């Protein structure tokens, strides 16, 4: 029921293929891929060429989190690579409905992410169309930050919003500062996919950490 999506941002990039294999064997459900452009967030990571290069080396579904100012420019590229979830930030897009339709018509699932300061109510008019709401529990840009507890209340609001829209299939994902302890209240609030970067990649036993995040 609960899915765990380790964030590639905390992997050792010099041995990326081995790192991805390691979390696949450790029982991950998705690979969370943080694409940052140095404009929307003050950090620059990797883009489609890297995502394309790793696609043949794992069976894990790709959960791509775009922290970029112009997400619509990348829809076709990521669709061609074979990405499961294409998630953009609400704060970057004036025409959310149009972009959601575009993502879905390209064969991917559409997610929208909210910064810690962006209210859940901004998604009211697109709630019926979404495949994922991604609640940020840190300010996006870096791994290893501290969980912001306010995210717990926002997960409850997101769940209420999806219920009210009659959307029974969308998942609620939470991203930032998740470990075996912060996962507990966030799951109780209704989150079903948990991203964890530093907690999983930094754990001496990655399988045990994934299991603890899922089952604690
Ligand atoms: C933050 C990224 C997260 C990050 C999570 O901007 O979107 O996915 O990698 O890392 P941890 O789990 O270490 O907070
Ligand atoms: Zn992320």
């Amino acid at each position: 029921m609960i899915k765990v999506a380790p964030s590639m941002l905390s992997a050792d990039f010099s041995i990326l293929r081995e790192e991805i294999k390691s979390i696949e064997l450790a029982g991950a459900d998705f690979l969370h891929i943080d694409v940052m452009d140095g404009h929307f967030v003050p950090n620059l990571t990797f883009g489609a060429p890297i995502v394309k290069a790793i696609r043949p080396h794992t069976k894990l579904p790709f959960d791509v989190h775009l922290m970029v100012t112009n997400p619509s420019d990348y829809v076709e590229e990521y669709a061609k690579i074979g990405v499961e979830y294409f998630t953009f930030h609400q704060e970057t897009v004036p025409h959310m409905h149009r972009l959601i339709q575009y993502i879905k018509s390209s064969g991917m699932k559409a997610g929208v992410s909210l910064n810690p300061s962006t209210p859940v109510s901004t998604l009211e008019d697109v709630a019926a169309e979404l495949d994922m709401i991604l609640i940020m529990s840190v300010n996006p840009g870096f791994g290893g930050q501290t969980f912001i507890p306010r995210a717990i209340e926002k997960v409850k609001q997101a769940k209420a919003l999806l219920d009210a829209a009659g959307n029974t299939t969308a998942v609620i994902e939470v991203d930032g500062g998740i470990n075996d302890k912060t996962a507990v209240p966030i799951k109780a609030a209704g989150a079903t996919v948990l991203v964890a970067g530093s907690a999983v990649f930094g754990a001496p036993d990655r399988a045990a950490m994934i299991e603890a995040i899922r089952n604690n």
Side-chain angles (χ1 to χ4, degrees):
M1 172 86 198
I2 300 291
K3 295 199 153 88
V4 180
S7 166
M8 196 169 97
L9 191 58
S10 292
D12 180 343
F13 296 157
S14 69
I15 48 162
L16 198 47
R17 181 166 40 174
E18 288 86 341
E19 289 282 79
I20 293 165
K21 254 301 157 245
S22 149
I23 56 120
E24 184 171 10
L25 290 170
D29 297 290
F30 296 117
L31 181 65
H32 184 81
I33 300 175
D34 289 304
V35 176
M36 303 185 190
D37 66 352
H39 292 272
F40 177 61
V41 289
N43 192 10
L44 190 64
T45 54
F46 35 72
I50 303 285
V51 180
K52 187 178 178 186
I54 60 173
R55 182 60 287 184
H57 298 291
T58 174
K59 290 192 172 63
L60 290 175
F62 282 5
D63 168 29
V64 177
H65 175 195
L66 288 120
M67 287 158 275
V68 305
T69 48
N70 50 347
S72 57
D73 290 355
Y74 302 103
V75 171
E76 276 174 45
E77 218 171 350
Y78 284 102
K80 249 185 242 152
I81 291 169
V83 159
E84 181 91 356
Y85 285 97
F86 182 102
T87 298
F88 64 89
H89 266 262
Q90 186 275 351
E91 301 83 8
T92 63
V93 173
H95 306 291
M96 273 199 287
H97 191 260
R98 178 184 290 156
L99 180 53
I100 291 163
Q101 294 305 324
Y102 180 30
I103 294 165
K104 289 174 140 185
S105 69
S106 306
M108 298 182 289
K109 291 178 179 154
V112 180
S113 182
L114 300 176
N115 280 340
S117 60
T118 304
V120 172
S121 58
T122 55
L123 301 182
E124 189 177 341
D125 292 285
V126 295
E129 320 284 329
L130 289 174
D131 296 306
M132 174 191 284
I133 295 177
L134 170 50
I135 304 288
M136 290 306 300
S137 43
V138 297
N139 288 291
F142 305 94
Q145 302 182 82
T146 305
F147 179 79
I148 300 171
R150 168 80 188 148
I152 299 164
E153 184 56 34
K154 290 178 78 175
V155 168
K156 292 182 191 164
Q157 293 172 356
K159 192 168 167 21
L161 196 73
L162 292 170
D163 287 348
N167 186 336
T168 55
T169 53
V171 301
I172 300 173
E173 182 174 72
V174 180
D175 183 8
I178 298 287
N179 55 41
D180 49 340
K181 288 165 195 73
T182 54
V184 176
I186 214 78
K187 287 187 288 185
T192 51
V193 184
L194 303 189
V195 176
S198 48
V200 169
F201 281 97
D205 183 342
R206 292 173 176 177
M209 179 53 73
I210 289 173
E211 191 60 17
I213 290 170
R214 195 183 282 126
N215 291 326
N216 266 11

